[in-house]
Amino acid sequence: MKRILLNAICVTLLVIAGAGILLWARSLVTSEGLFVAHNFHRYALVSGDAAVIYTSGSYQFETSQAKTDFLDGASDALERQWRMQFATDVGGVAQPTDTVLGFGLEQYTWDIMRQRALTGVRYHRTTAQVPHWVIVLPAGIPGGVWLFRRSKVRRDRIAKGLCRRCAFPLGDTYHSCPECGERAPLPMDLPTSAAVVRERQELSA
Ligand SMILES: [Zn+2]
Protein backbone atom coordinates (compact mmCIF):
# COMPACT_ATOMS: atom_id res chain seq x y z
CA MET A 1 0.00 0.00 0.00
CA LYS A 2 2.85 2.33 0.96
CA ARG A 3 4.57 1.42 -2.28
CA ILE A 4 1.47 2.20 -4.37
CA LEU A 5 1.21 5.58 -2.66
CA LEU A 6 4.90 6.33 -3.32
CA ASN A 7 4.51 5.34 -6.97
CA ALA A 8 1.42 7.54 -7.30
CA ILE A 9 3.25 10.52 -5.75
CA CYS A 10 6.26 10.05 -8.01
CA VAL A 11 4.13 9.75 -11.15
CA THR A 12 2.26 12.92 -10.08
CA LEU A 13 5.60 14.73 -9.60
CA LEU A 14 6.71 13.70 -13.09
CA VAL A 15 3.41 14.94 -14.54
CA ILE A 16 3.84 18.28 -12.71
CA ALA A 17 7.41 18.57 -13.99
CA GLY A 18 6.20 17.81 -17.53
CA ALA A 19 3.43 20.41 -17.22
CA GLY A 20 6.00 22.92 -15.92
CA ILE A 21 8.21 22.33 -18.97
CA LEU A 22 5.20 22.68 -21.28
CA LEU A 23 4.11 25.88 -19.51
CA TRP A 24 7.63 27.26 -19.75
CA ALA A 25 7.83 26.49 -23.48
CA ARG A 26 4.42 28.09 -24.07
CA SER A 27 5.40 31.15 -22.05
CA LEU A 28 8.11 31.91 -24.63
CA VAL A 29 5.42 32.13 -27.33
CA THR A 30 2.41 33.56 -25.54
CA SER A 31 1.34 34.89 -22.16
CA GLU A 32 -1.68 33.24 -20.63
CA GLY A 33 -3.31 33.27 -17.27
CA LEU A 34 -6.20 33.33 -14.90
CA PHE A 35 -7.75 36.62 -13.83
CA VAL A 36 -10.06 37.04 -10.87
CA ALA A 37 -11.88 40.18 -9.79
CA HIS A 38 -13.98 40.73 -6.70
CA ASN A 39 -14.87 43.65 -4.48
CA PHE A 40 -12.31 46.10 -5.91
CA HIS A 41 -9.59 43.46 -5.70
CA ARG A 42 -7.85 42.05 -8.73
CA TYR A 43 -5.82 38.85 -8.85
CA ALA A 44 -3.92 37.40 -11.75
CA LEU A 45 -1.75 34.33 -12.23
CA VAL A 46 0.02 34.58 -15.53
CA SER A 47 2.62 32.46 -17.28
CA GLY A 48 4.69 34.53 -19.66
CA ASP A 49 8.29 35.29 -20.63
CA ALA A 50 9.69 32.21 -18.86
CA ALA A 51 8.16 33.16 -15.52
CA VAL A 52 5.00 32.67 -13.52
CA ILE A 53 3.74 36.03 -12.31
CA TYR A 54 1.24 36.50 -9.52
CA THR A 55 -0.36 39.90 -9.19
CA SER A 56 -2.69 41.07 -6.49
CA GLY A 57 -4.12 44.57 -6.67
CA SER A 58 -6.77 46.56 -4.88
CA TYR A 59 -8.43 49.90 -5.24
CA GLN A 60 -8.33 51.97 -2.11
CA PHE A 61 -10.74 54.80 -1.47
CA GLU A 62 -9.98 57.53 1.02
CA THR A 63 -13.63 58.59 1.22
CA SER A 64 -16.98 57.13 0.19
CA GLN A 65 -17.22 60.03 -2.26
CA ALA A 66 -14.04 58.80 -3.89
CA LYS A 67 -15.67 55.39 -4.38
CA THR A 68 -18.81 56.97 -5.85
CA ASP A 69 -16.65 59.02 -8.23
CA PHE A 70 -14.75 55.89 -9.22
CA LEU A 71 -17.94 53.98 -9.99
CA ASP A 72 -19.03 56.96 -12.06
CA GLY A 73 -22.75 56.41 -11.55
CA ALA A 74 -22.62 52.62 -11.93
CA SER A 75 -23.75 50.35 -9.11
CA ASP A 76 -21.16 48.34 -7.22
CA ALA A 77 -23.21 45.14 -7.80
CA LEU A 78 -20.66 43.94 -10.34
CA GLU A 79 -17.85 44.35 -7.82
CA ARG A 80 -19.70 42.17 -5.34
CA GLN A 81 -19.62 39.30 -7.84
CA TRP A 82 -16.64 37.00 -8.26
CA ARG A 83 -15.51 37.26 -11.85
CA MET A 84 -13.05 34.81 -13.34
CA GLN A 85 -11.49 34.76 -16.74
CA PHE A 86 -8.86 32.70 -18.50
CA ALA A 87 -7.07 34.56 -21.23
CA THR A 88 -4.27 33.86 -23.68
CA ASP A 89 -2.12 36.38 -25.53
CA VAL A 90 -2.14 38.64 -22.52
CA GLY A 91 -0.24 41.69 -23.62
CA GLY A 92 1.77 43.79 -21.23
CA VAL A 93 1.80 41.69 -18.09
CA ALA A 94 3.29 43.74 -15.29
CA GLN A 95 6.51 42.07 -14.27
CA PRO A 96 8.67 43.20 -11.38
CA THR A 97 11.38 45.54 -12.66
CA ASP A 98 14.21 43.92 -10.69
CA THR A 99 14.51 40.17 -10.92
CA VAL A 100 17.24 37.86 -9.67
CA LEU A 101 17.46 34.45 -11.34
CA GLY A 102 13.90 34.93 -12.50
CA PHE A 103 12.59 35.77 -9.02
CA GLY A 104 11.05 39.14 -8.33
CA LEU A 105 8.82 40.95 -5.88
CA GLU A 106 7.43 44.44 -6.18
CA GLN A 107 4.88 46.57 -4.39
CA TYR A 108 3.54 49.69 -5.94
CA THR A 109 0.82 52.23 -5.20
CA TRP A 110 -0.32 54.97 -7.50
CA ASP A 111 -3.11 57.46 -7.95
CA ILE A 112 -5.84 56.61 -10.41
CA MET A 113 -6.21 59.36 -12.97
CA ARG A 114 -8.37 58.05 -15.80
CA GLN A 115 -9.57 60.82 -18.09
CA ARG A 116 -10.05 63.25 -15.25
CA ALA A 117 -8.29 63.25 -11.95
CA LEU A 118 -10.05 61.07 -9.38
CA THR A 119 -9.08 62.28 -5.97
CA GLY A 120 -8.74 59.81 -3.14
CA VAL A 121 -8.56 56.73 -5.34
CA ARG A 122 -5.38 54.73 -5.29
CA TYR A 123 -4.37 51.39 -6.71
CA HIS A 124 -2.06 49.20 -4.69
CA ARG A 125 -0.39 46.32 -6.44
CA THR A 126 1.89 43.49 -5.36
CA THR A 127 3.64 41.46 -7.99
CA ALA A 128 5.63 38.32 -7.33
CA GLN A 129 7.42 36.35 -9.97
CA VAL A 130 9.02 32.92 -9.96
CA PRO A 131 10.76 31.20 -12.87
CA HIS A 132 9.29 28.00 -14.28
CA TRP A 133 12.21 25.92 -13.03
CA VAL A 134 10.87 26.45 -9.49
CA ILE A 135 8.05 24.14 -10.59
CA VAL A 136 10.08 21.85 -12.83
CA LEU A 137 13.13 21.09 -10.66
CA PRO A 138 11.54 20.27 -7.26
CA ALA A 139 9.07 17.98 -9.02
CA GLY A 140 11.37 16.63 -11.71
CA ILE A 141 14.39 15.70 -9.57
CA PRO A 142 12.65 13.33 -7.09
CA GLY A 143 10.47 12.02 -9.92
CA GLY A 144 13.51 11.43 -12.10
CA VAL A 145 15.46 9.71 -9.29
CA TRP A 146 12.48 7.44 -8.63
CA LEU A 147 12.18 6.57 -12.33
CA PHE A 148 15.92 5.86 -12.59
CA ARG A 149 16.01 3.66 -9.48
CA ARG A 150 12.88 1.82 -10.56
CA SER A 151 14.33 0.96 -13.95
CA LYS A 152 17.65 -0.10 -12.32
CA VAL A 153 15.84 -2.41 -9.86
CA ARG A 154 13.90 -3.93 -12.76
CA ARG A 155 17.03 -4.45 -14.87
CA ASP A 156 18.82 -6.07 -11.92
CA ARG A 157 15.89 -8.44 -11.30
CA ILE A 158 15.78 -9.48 -14.96
CA ALA A 159 19.56 -10.14 -14.88
CA LYS A 160 19.06 -12.40 -11.81
CA GLY A 161 16.17 -14.29 -13.40
CA LEU A 162 13.59 -12.74 -11.07
CA CYS A 163 10.18 -11.28 -11.91
CA ARG A 164 10.84 -7.60 -12.68
CA ARG A 165 7.71 -6.55 -10.82
CA CYS A 166 7.64 -8.71 -7.63
CA ALA A 167 11.06 -10.46 -7.62
CA PHE A 168 9.58 -13.98 -7.80
CA PRO A 169 12.32 -16.40 -9.00
CA LEU A 170 11.20 -17.19 -12.55
CA GLY A 171 14.37 -18.82 -13.81
CA ASP A 172 13.77 -20.47 -17.19
CA THR A 173 10.62 -22.15 -15.94
CA TYR A 174 7.99 -19.46 -16.37
CA HIS A 175 6.89 -17.28 -19.26
CA SER A 176 4.84 -15.18 -16.91
CA CYS A 177 5.02 -14.69 -13.17
CA PRO A 178 2.75 -17.05 -11.20
CA GLU A 179 2.64 -14.47 -8.37
CA CYS A 180 1.70 -11.25 -10.13
CA GLY A 181 1.15 -12.22 -13.78
CA GLU A 182 3.95 -10.01 -15.12
CA ARG A 183 5.25 -11.33 -18.42
CA ALA A 184 8.84 -12.62 -18.28
CA PRO A 185 11.13 -10.70 -20.64
CA LEU A 186 12.28 -12.52 -23.76
CA PRO A 187 15.78 -13.95 -23.34
CA MET A 188 18.45 -11.72 -24.85
CA ASP A 189 20.12 -14.62 -26.75
CA LEU A 190 17.07 -15.54 -28.86
CA PRO A 191 18.28 -16.38 -32.36
CA THR A 192 17.60 -13.62 -34.87
CA SER A 193 15.38 -14.56 -37.79
CA ALA A 194 18.36 -14.40 -40.17
CA ALA A 195 20.23 -16.90 -37.99
CA VAL A 196 17.20 -19.20 -37.96
CA VAL A 197 16.94 -19.06 -41.77
CA ARG A 198 20.64 -19.84 -42.11
CA GLU A 199 20.33 -22.79 -39.71
CA ARG A 200 17.39 -24.20 -41.67
CA GLN A 201 19.31 -23.86 -44.92
CA GLU A 202 22.25 -25.73 -43.40
CA LEU A 203 19.95 -28.51 -42.15
CA SER A 204 18.23 -28.96 -45.50
CA ALA A 205 21.52 -28.86 -47.45
ZN1 LIG B 1 5.79 -11.24 -10.28
Side-chain angles (χ1 to χ4, degrees), residues 73-86:
S75 133
D76 66 352
L78 188 66
E79 282 300 331
R80 279 188 264 112
Q81 290 171 14
W82 283 93
R83 285 157 288 152
M84 201 181 286
Q85 192 191 357
F86 179 81

Side-chain angles (χ1 to χ4, degrees), residues 1-2 8 25 43 69 86 92 100 102 106 126-128 136 150 167 186 201-202 204:
M1 189 61 206
K2 229 172 162 184
Y43 310 92
D69 289 347
F86 179 81
V100 179
E106 191 173 71
T126 303
T127 307
V136 176
R150 181 185 159 92
L186 293 171
Q201 285 169 345
E202 280 166 13
S204 61

Side-chain angles (χ1 to χ4, degrees), residues 153-205:
V153 164
R154 289 188 153 220
R155 277 201 312 272
D156 289 351
R157 282 177 181 170
I158 290 167
K160 289 179 192 156
L162 308 175
C163 169
R164 57 187 158 184
R165 192 198 265 177
C166 73
F168 180 88
L170 297 174
D172 296 330
T173 321
Y174 299 99
H175 290 297
S176 63
C177 176
E179 285 292 312
C180 71
E182 179 79 1
R183 188 179 52 74
L186 293 171
M188 294 306 277
D189 54 356
L190 261 191
T192 60
S193 54
V196 171
V197 169
R198 210 180 312 121
E199 202 173 312
R200 280 195 190 141
Q201 285 169 345
E202 280 166 13
L203 283 172
S204 61

